[in-house]
Amino acid sequence: MFDIVPLPAFNDNYIWLIKDAGTRRAVVVDPGDAAPVMTWLDSHPDWQLTDILITHHHHDHTGGIAPLKQRTGARVTAPADERIADVDLPLADADRLEVLGATFEVIRVPGHTAGHIAYYLAGERPLLFSGDTLFSAGCGRLFEGTPTQMLESLQRLTSLPDATEIYCGHEYTQSNLRFARAVEPQSAAVQDAQEHTRRLREANRPTLPTTLGRERGINPFLRTADPEVRRQLQEQRGVAADAPEDTFFAALRAWKDTF
């Protein structure tokens, strides 16, 4: 059983550190800044950093690669079709990655960037490191992909079990839930999530991980087939009632971009 530690970076990033107490080995996901990881390693000198997992090329997820690799010799894995320096093992969709004695599946999820990948570990405690594709109550901006691509990527992720723990790249939950409340103002699930999130943030605690089962009820970007979400998009964004789902999704993402 892994212990997963959030290492805050910048204003709202999370670097996820995955620990295996049995071997005293660790892995980090998306170290945009080396300093938080270095600090952790300094305070845990008997631990070894073996791998650096990257989901996409943005600097706030890759900026710490070079100094960490220089210090620890850790293997760097990253999307095969994104230009990222110092990569040892380029990964494509459906590849299998062995780290800490476990086998992660690589899921290609374009949208936020063209080659974005997620790392999924199946089993009794399923884990998903989703980068900037799937957030709690939200999804990533479409910097390089299309609404159709992002919708398809999210649909791939929603095929995973409800118990899947989601570790994403940013602490965006409060702002995402404000938007979710605008989309579904009568949703008790969203209101409850807002209150829970408020208490966590007031205590300076992360709102993550979330679970896929929870997200199905509060994340509007996973709910574009829901009649209430569609009604709101028809009223607020002028989407035709008979429009395809990716048109509803595109309107929802455009609404969030200016919210």
Side-chain angles (χ1 to χ4, degrees):
M1 184 68 71
F2 297 136
D3 185 19
I4 303 172
V5 179
L7 303 178
F10 308 120
N11 291 328
D12 52 33
N13 280 68
Y14 285 126
I15 302 164
W16 296 106
L17 185 135
I18 312 169
K19 301 163 53 186
D20 178 7
T23 62
R24 304 191 85 73
R25 294 182 297 161
V27 169
V28 289
V29 182
D30 286 347
D33 183 3
V37 184
M38 297 285 202
T39 298
W40 190 90
L41 291 171
D42 287 342
S43 62
H44 298 79
D46 55 338
W47 284 73
Q48 177 189 5
L49 183 70
T50 62
D51 290 271
I52 299 168
L53 278 53
I54 303 297
T55 62
H56 65 291
H57 68 81
H58 287 162
H59 187 72
D60 65 327
H61 293 250
T62 62
I65 292 175
L68 288 172
K69 185 174 180 178
Q70 182 178 18
R71 169 171 169 169
T72 68
R75 178 181 62 170
V76 179
T77 67
D81 52 357
E82 295 202 344
R83 299 181 69 178
I84 301 170
D86 299 309
V87 174
D88 299 300
L89 181 60
L91 296 171
D93 188 47
D95 280 350
R96 303 282 175 167
L97 176 65
E98 298 287 337
V99 290
L100 302 179
T103 303
F104 284 78
E105 177 186 350
V106 176
I107 305 174
R108 190 171 184 272
V109 282
H112 182 65
T113 66
H116 199 302
I117 61 174
Y119 297 86
Y120 174 64
L121 179 64
E124 293 183 7
R125 182 193 175 190
L127 308 174
L128 177 70
F129 295 88
S130 60
D132 287 0
T133 296
L134 175 60
F135 295 122
S136 183
C139 76
R141 285 180 178 266
L142 304 181
F143 289 117
E144 298 174 9
T146 67
T148 300
Q149 285 179 313
M150 181 62 96
L151 175 61
E152 291 174 351
S153 293
L154 294 175
Q155 288 173 336
R156 288 195 70 183
L157 297 183
T158 55
S159 70
L160 301 176
D162 280 354
T164 302
E165 298 175 17
I166 299 167
Y167 296 85
C168 54
H170 293 271
E171 182 56 75
Y172 287 167
T173 310
Q174 276 190 309
S175 60
N176 286 342
L177 283 168
R178 284 194 291 270
F179 177 66
R181 184 74 176 269
V183 176
E184 295 190 88
Q186 305 305 317
S187 169
V190 171
Q191 293 175 36
D192 290 346
Q194 279 190 300
E195 177 60 22
H196 178 65
T197 297
R198 181 190 63 78
R199 292 196 302 268
L200 288 173
R201 296 310 293 155
E202 286 180 353
N204 198 32
R205 294 172 56 194
T207 63
L208 304 167
T210 183
T211 66
L212 187 56
R214 179 175 185 266
E215 291 305 308
R216 292 187 201 281
I218 66 171
N219 191 328
F221 294 96
L222 305 185
R223 297 173 55 75
T224 46
D226 183 87
E228 175 60 20
V229 173
R230 292 194 167 201
R231 185 186 65 79
Q232 280 288 92
L233 288 168
Q234 290 170 54
E235 293 180 0
Q236 299 293 331
R237 308 299 290 187
V239 181
D242 59 351
E245 188 170 0
D246 59 354
T247 299
F248 281 97
F249 184 90
L252 185 68
R253 185 61 255 183
W255 185 8
K256 178 64 166 64
D257 288 345
T258 59
F259 183 74

